[in-house]
Amino acid sequence: MKQDFIKFPLHLIFHPIDAFWDLKSDNRGRLFVAFAALALTIVMMILQKQYAGFLVNYIDPRTINSIIEIATVAVPFFLWCMANWAVTTLMEGEGKFKEIVLATGYSLIPVILIYAPMIVISRFMVQEETAFYYLFNSIAFFWFVLLLFIGMMTVHQYTVIRTIITMVLTLIVMGIIVFLGALVFSMLQQLYEFGYNIYRELIFRT
Amino acid sequence: MARTVKRWFVLLAAVSLLLVNAMPAAASPAPYESYNYNYWKEAVPSPDAYLPERTLSGRDLGISEFKDPGDMNVSPSGLIYILDSGNSRIVVLAPDFKLLRVIDGFMMDGSKETFNLPGGLFVDEQERIYVADTGNGRVVVLDGEGTLIQTITKPESDILSTQFQFQPLKLTVDHVGRVYVVAQGVYEGIMQFDESGKFIGYVGTNKVERDYGEYIWRMLSTKAQRAQMVLFVPTEFSNADIDHKGFVYATNIDPGSNEPIKRLNPSGEDVLKRFGYYDVKGDIRFRNNPGPSKLIDVKVLGDGMYSVLDATQNRVFTYDDEGHLLYIYGGKGNQVGTLKTPVAIEQSGEHHLVLDRGKNNLVVYEPTRFGARVNEAVALHYRGEDTEAVNIWREVLKLNANYDIAYIGIGKSLLMEKKNEEALSYFELGMDRKSYSVAFKRHRREMMKEHFGTFLTAAIALIVILILTRVTVKWRRRRQVDREAGFH
């Protein structure tokens, strides 16, 4: 239990190349952990906006909306997983969908680990020290990107160049999915409106 | 009988109607909606800072109506000078708005000279009147009675081209007699003349904002196309005023500029403090408005405060010396207090005067309790008397609980009194992160000093406990191993 849910994720963020391979070959990854990481990241994002110190918190408190916070993290997460799966299937990636979700989820762990103490520490910072806050936040982000990169590389058994290309393509495909989604949504809406108008017309005439 | 009763009723009704109309308008709210910008750059309603008291037209003064009045100045002794451009005369009023005299010309070289569409006017401490006589291309200096002292005509200088037309629009004079002239078609800055009328040079050029998109577009176009394009020249200044330290406040009407107000030091650099949440440029949000503020006049009010007049929405914006927007009043319209084509703003005692060319009159605004208190507190703060300012700020907060500057003012005073923790909450309410940081630093150091002993004891205790548990665990484990090996 402890081995799978705490020790392995912590081992993973410091030894990603070994650990991602273990995750793939020895089936060490747990979906529960990946989703927990996603959920905790969302929680951290919300907590940061609400409770980060006054000197670093430039959020208008009236604009904080948890639903939107959830969507801004969860939607890109799943979009990434789907787009990456779609791209890598075509590009001879060896990763399964589950493995992509696992790798992406596990990569979020440093974000949680850094954000949590930074929210507390930021409340005791003065203006000159806020640089550290921003520094650590950037470290969290780059760590995440690095883990994601190594994760993708290991899971799909790619070379470095190929991984970079796939990741960029994934981002493009994410955009395309959003675009198509918006298109379908607006078409459906127009279709609905058309049907509704016909219905109204019939009701009115008869 | 019934008829008489009826008649009485009708009469009563008529009288009551008359009485309703005769009700004094003193309690009436302003004909404009006062607002101020909060930290999030939203326009939020605010109490009125100034209310229109009355208007003054030429007929009210017992002379012919004003015609396109162009400028106005209140001399240090309190006399109000109105430059009635259309009638080519200067109307002088006493501080109580009674007519003193009218100057409609002066004697020069034995003949009577008049003004020709004069644009600007300034009166210095010795009651000398400086008139920017635009149509005649000269600056006329008169004494208080209207006799000519000197004229400043087209300057002779190597840096001026021969085709240069000297058309002074507005002017201001410092206490040693240097004249600063805003002239038409002069993009190099404000023209500066010495006390004898000799041209010294320009001060405070407006910088051209670089537009990189336009720059690339220019590189791609042909020479013929380029010749047809708009030239990017610096904007002209629209008006100038001077504070008691000799710093020239100047406004320009460049719509793209974020720094339309400048405070020029003697070497012509802009030293205006802009420590507020947003740019010092009048309206900062204009979703339904016709665009950014077009600032056409500036008046230094003293104690670091200055008011600017916006010709887009016909409003007056007042700032303190640090660049905080204090209050906004005025607006477009035809009622008393709203303005049609404002051209100049002045201060006479407590009152603010705005000259309206469109309505050919002078609007007198008087401060409300809110406005007066704000002025008072800002002045005290400017003089460094923050402790006295606090009580007034607290009163301001009673009148407007959303007044951020008041929170900051109280916070700063608390900071001075070393009440750091209390100051924190005030700075947070005023969204002043810089001062908050200072207060927090001090508060943190205090807390550290106070609780360092406790903290260290706890830390040492924690470390000792950790070591002890580790040792115990190890010892137990070894004992277990030993026991299994049969040593005990």
Side-chain angles (χ1 to χ4, degrees):
Chain A
M1 175 77 187
K2 194 184 168 195
Q3 189 64 32
D4 271 352
F5 292 135
I6 296 167
K7 273 208 169 156
F8 180 69
L10 290 181
H11 171 71
L12 181 135
I13 61 170
F14 293 110
H15 305 92
I17 299 179
D18 285 355
F20 274 120
W21 176 245
D22 288 351
L23 180 140
K24 187 178 164 67
S25 62
D26 295 356
N27 225 357
R28 296 279 299 273
R30 294 283 167 271
L31 269 181
F32 172 76
V33 178
F35 287 127
L38 175 65
L40 279 175
T41 310
I42 293 168
V43 170
M44 285 305 151
M45 293 281 186
I46 296 171
L47 285 181
Q48 193 195 45
K49 287 202 169 165
Q50 180 77 48
Y51 292 112
F54 173 64
L55 292 177
V56 292
N57 197 342
Y58 288 87
I59 306 290
D60 185 349
R62 294 166 301 174
T63 62
I64 300 177
N65 181 343
S66 297
I67 306 285
I68 289 171
E69 288 305 309
I70 292 169
T72 48
V73 182
V75 169
F77 180 88
F78 290 112
L79 216 54
W80 166 270
C81 292
M82 282 196 290
N84 190 263
W85 180 65
V87 171
T88 51
T89 314
L90 296 175
M91 291 185 66
E92 292 151 9
E94 288 179 15
K96 296 180 208 132
F97 186 70
K98 185 191 167 190
E99 286 165 1
I100 297 169
V101 174
L102 284 176
T104 315
Y106 274 72
S107 305
L108 284 169
I109 291 166
V111 176
I112 305 161
L113 291 184
I114 292 178
Y115 270 32
M118 284 328 279
I119 293 168
V120 179
I121 294 170
S122 73
R123 298 182 73 86
F124 300 99
M125 280 179 167
V126 298
Q127 196 100 59
E128 300 93 272
E129 293 152 11
T130 53
F132 289 101
Y133 175 82
Y134 296 118
L135 174 72
F136 277 98
N137 278 3
S138 337
I139 287 176
F141 176 73
F142 284 114
W143 198 346
F144 160 70
V145 172
L146 185 74
L147 285 184
L148 192 65
F149 175 74
I150 295 173
M152 289 298 127
M153 203 161 85
T154 321
V155 161
H156 296 304
Q157 292 292 303
Y158 278 159
T159 57
V160 173
I161 304 293
R162 215 178 162 82
T163 317
I164 293 171
I165 295 170
T166 0
M167 285 174 88
V168 171
L169 275 179
T170 306
L171 288 176
I172 295 169
V173 171
M174 278 167 80
I176 294 172
I177 293 175
V178 169
F179 172 71
L180 288 179
L183 202 70
V184 167
F185 184 75
S186 102
M187 294 247 289
L188 280 179
Q189 199 177 357
Q190 286 187 9
L191 216 63
Y192 164 76
E193 251 174 38
F194 177 68
Y196 183 66
N197 279 339
I198 286 178
Y199 165 76
R200 274 213 310 200
E201 208 61 32
L202 286 174
I203 291 293
F204 196 63
R205 305 274 165 181
T206 49
Chain B
M1 184 63 195
R3 220 167 157 186
T4 352
V5 170
K6 211 173 174 184
R7 214 174 259 172
W8 272 107
F9 265 123
V10 169
L11 195 66
L12 203 69
V15 167
S16 67
L17 267 177
L18 277 174
L19 277 178
V20 165
N21 280 340
M23 281 282 270
S28 71
Y32 39 79
E33 281 172 0
S34 290
Y35 63 96
N36 205 331
Y37 289 102
N38 67 6
Y39 175 78
W40 310 106
K41 295 188 177 176
E42 296 162 330
V44 290
S46 151
D48 297 314
Y50 277 80
L51 286 175
E53 192 198 48
R54 57 169 158 158
T55 60
L56 274 174
S57 63
R59 198 184 308 146
D60 296 333
L61 297 167
I63 49 175
S64 65
E65 289 288 7
F66 295 134
K67 194 180 163 204
D68 293 337
D71 202 0
M72 166 179 60
N73 202 269
V74 175
S75 74
S77 61
L79 302 185
I80 301 158
Y81 291 77
I82 298 165
L83 184 65
D84 191 3
S85 310
N87 291 326
S88 297
R89 63 180 180 185
I90 299 166
V91 179
V92 188
L93 308 182
D96 56 354
F97 307 112
K98 293 279 183 305
L99 182 73
L100 278 185
R101 58 179 174 270
V102 174
I103 302 168
D104 55 0
F106 53 92
M107 296 300 286
M108 190 165 92
D109 301 330
S111 59
K112 171 122 177 156
E113 289 262 339
T114 52
F115 304 115
N116 182 9
L117 294 172
L121 163 128
F122 188 86
V123 184
D124 71 1
E125 282 134 357
Q126 284 125 46
E127 221 66 39
R128 281 186 300 219
I129 309 165
Y130 293 75
V131 181
D133 195 359
T134 316
N136 290 329
R138 64 184 174 187
V139 172
V140 178
V141 188
L142 307 173
D143 72 3
E145 303 305 316
T147 36
L148 182 75
I149 298 173
Q150 63 163 328
T151 58
I152 299 170
T153 47
K154 183 185 160 187
E156 297 295 328
S157 172
D158 298 339
I159 58 171
L160 295 171
S161 75
T162 40
Q163 292 104 46
F164 175 70
Q165 293 271 321
F166 182 54
Q167 286 186 309
L169 289 174
K170 302 284 174 189
L171 48 74
T172 187
V173 181
D174 68 8
H175 50 262
V176 292
R178 275 189 297 249
V179 187
Y180 299 85
V181 178
V182 174
Q184 194 160 18
V186 173
Y187 306 108
E188 290 90 340
I190 298 175
M191 301 181 86
Q192 194 184 9
F193 296 87
D194 69 6
E195 63 277 13
S196 63
K198 211 174 127 272
F199 179 58
I200 304 172
Y202 296 107
V203 284
T205 316
N206 287 316
K207 284 197 186 74
V208 184
E209 302 273 326
R210 213 169 266 151
D211 185 346
Y212 288 100
E214 193 70 32
Y215 189 74
I216 294 165
W217 196 239
R218 271 187 120 77
M219 288 208 309
L220 295 174
S221 28
T222 64
K223 218 169 196 176
Q225 283 172 325
R226 233 173 289 167
Q228 287 205 326
M229 279 185 185
V230 202
L231 267 182
F232 285 89
V233 290
T235 41
E236 300 165 64
F237 283 100
S238 57
N239 218 318
D241 198 20
I242 200 155
D243 68 5
H244 69 281
K245 286 180 187 163
F247 287 80
V248 176
Y249 285 71
T251 51
N252 65 63
I253 49 173
D254 181 2
S257 172
N258 281 332
E259 295 174 353
I261 307 165
K262 287 189 165 67
R263 182 173 187 245
L264 304 171
N265 69 5
S267 42
E269 287 154 43
D270 180 19
V271 291
L272 191 77
K273 289 185 196 166
R274 297 182 175 91
F275 298 151
Y277 307 138
Y278 30 77
D279 296 323
V280 181
K281 61 168 191 176
D283 270 321
I284 50 163
R285 251 198 190 188
F286 23 87
R287 203 174 293 148
N288 306 320
N289 297 1
S293 295
K294 191 175 151 194
L295 304 177
I296 51 159
D297 194 12
V298 54
K299 173 65 194 167
V300 179
L301 304 175
D303 292 314
M305 289 184 277
Y306 51 95
S307 286
V308 286
L309 186 61
D310 157 32
T312 307
Q313 290 287 306
N314 299 354
R315 290 185 187 125
V316 177
F317 297 82
T318 304
Y319 293 91
D320 72 0
D321 75 309
E322 286 162 11
H324 295 113
L325 182 56
L326 296 175
Y327 41 76
I328 304 165
Y329 65 87
K332 265 185 180 168
N334 265 321
Q335 301 107 308
V336 170
T338 56
L339 306 158
K340 216 167 170 185
T341 317
V343 286
I345 174 161
E346 266 299 328
Q347 184 188 31
S348 165
E350 282 287 284
H351 294 86
H352 280 188
L353 318 173
V354 178
L355 191 64
D356 195 334
R357 176 188 283 163
K359 290 197 273 187
N360 288 325
N361 66 8
L362 184 70
V363 189
V364 181
Y365 291 92
E366 65 171 354
T368 61
R369 188 162 150 235
F370 173 70
R373 284 293 174 269
V374 169
N375 288 344
E376 216 173 311
V378 169
L380 284 170
H381 172 67
Y382 181 75
R383 294 178 203 138
E385 290 159 17
D386 281 286
T387 5
E388 281 100 292
V390 166
N391 290 326
I392 304 169
W393 280 134
R394 286 191 202 279
E395 206 185 322
V396 169
L397 284 180
K398 274 182 203 155
L399 299 166
N400 180 8
N402 291 324
Y403 206 63
D404 291 346
I405 306 158
Y407 288 115
I408 298 171
I410 297 174
K412 279 189 175 154
S413 158
L414 288 170
L415 198 63
M416 294 275 196
E417 294 166 31
K418 296 208 166 69
K419 290 177 185 162
N420 302 321
E421 200 179 354
E422 288 170 58
L424 281 181
S425 57
Y426 278 101
F427 286 135
E428 200 169 344
L429 283 167
M431 300 302 271
D432 185 349
R433 290 200 160 80
K434 217 173 188 176
S435 310
Y436 180 91
S437 175
V438 173
F440 188 71
K441 202 173 193 175
R442 294 184 189 173
H443 174 60
R444 198 175 64 175
R445 193 184 296 141
E446 267 170 32
M447 294 306 276
M448 293 273 246
K449 265 186 196 163
E450 205 174 314
H451 298 292
F452 192 65
T454 336
F455 173 75
L456 213 60
T457 317
I460 290 172
L462 204 73
I463 291 167
V464 168
I465 288 168
L466 273 176
I467 291 171
L468 277 180
T469 34
R470 253 211 134 110
V471 167
T472 340
V473 166
K474 256 188 190 161
W475 181 73
R476 272 200 183 153
R477 202 171 285 159
R478 192 179 297 155
R479 210 181 138 94
Q480 190 83 18
V481 172
D482 285 359
R483 191 168 280 162
E484 273 162 17
F487 286 130
H488 289 278

